[in-house]
Structure formats: C-alpha cells, structure tokens
Amino acid sequence: VNGYYVQYSKVSQNNGKVKLTISSNDSENKITPVANQVGMLAPNLNGINVLNDLKISLNEHKEKYVFLDFWSTSCAPCIKEFPYIKQAYDKFSRNEIEIIGIADIRGKNDITEFVAKHNITWPTIDEGESSTNTKGYNINSWPTTYLIDPTGKIITTNLRGKDLNNKLELLGVAKKD
C-alpha cells in the first residue's frame, strides 16, 4: 500500500479484529517481509522426509517453484487432492518445481503406511516430529497450500484440483522429458 508492505494477523477468531503491521519504506534497503501471505517471502520450513529419512527444507529449493501442501490424515478433502498433486509431480521437471507435503497425523495412522496407501511419491514431512519446523505458517485448517516462486515469494495460496496444473502451465514450468 503506497510502497509499504502490510501484513495482517488475526486477533479474533472470526477475523472481526486484525492487527496490521506496516513495513518501513526504506527504498535503498527495501526488504520483503517474511510471512505466510501472498507477496511476502515464505518462511523456511524443514523436517525429515518420511519417504527416505533425509532432511528437507524449503531453503534448499531456491531458484525453483515450490508447492507446499499442508494436509491431515483426518481430512477427506486433503486426500481427494492427492491425485491432482501426483499428476503435477509426475508431469513437471524437478529442476523447476518441488512439491513438499506437510502432514498432520491424526489417530493411529502410521505415516509410512498412509503415504504408501495413497500413492504419495513427493517429499512429505511429519508435522508432529520434534525435528520439524513450520514456524510462521500458522495452519488452522487443511488442506492449505502455498505456491512459492524461485525468488522465495508466495505467489498464490490454496490451489485446488486442476488449478495447480493450470497455474504451472501458465507459469511455463518445464515438463519432464
């Protein structure tokens, strides 16, 4: 707004009250704030990939698009999205985009069995592990998604169904050979 970044934070449950934080307008040292909102730099996240026990972080994928999918094992709409995410994961080049799932595990689900059952082949982090850091995202409902550009800025949120594929096509993301 007028050259300033404005970040909002909920103060009340129903969004009746919000807190606005305005950035400085120092044109020589203009730094994009880190926040979970479109236009802001995405907060880093990291954890252990449940598929191969290797560390994974958002920062290791700079200069690529990254699609973050926060989902829960108890969320039917999340599970319904998996085939669309798999389609994008199988279609587009890993040199230009990475997909990272962040799972909220409910009940007595074994995450390894759950991802195998649902054919999840992209890196996935167990949100409940002590080594996982998702600070700055403040996820209140699932599914919640973020598409981050190669500069680290969030360019859109909550892509559903075919919207992910369509957006990646529109951005000109290279397809696998």
Side-chain angles (χ1 to χ4, degrees), residues 12-78:
S12 65
Q13 188 69 10
N14 66 0
N15 289 328
K17 291 182 182 181
V18 295
K19 174 184 169 189
L20 299 178
T21 306
I22 300 174
S23 70
S24 66
N25 193 16
D26 181 351
S27 59
E28 289 184 24
N29 297 312
K30 191 154 191 150
I31 298 172
T32 306
V34 174
N36 67 341
Q37 297 164 30
V38 171
M40 306 291 182
L41 288 175
N44 187 33
L45 63 77
N46 53 59
I48 304 296
N49 184 351
V50 300
L51 300 175
N52 58 17
D53 292 327
L54 297 176
K55 290 181 182 179
I56 187 167
S57 76
L58 179 59
N59 284 346
E60 74 187 46
H61 296 291
K62 288 185 179 186
E63 301 184 14
K64 291 184 187 184
Y65 288 96
V66 179
F67 181 73
L68 300 179
D69 178 36
F70 288 85
W71 58 274
S72 177
T73 56
S74 65
C75 168
C78 299

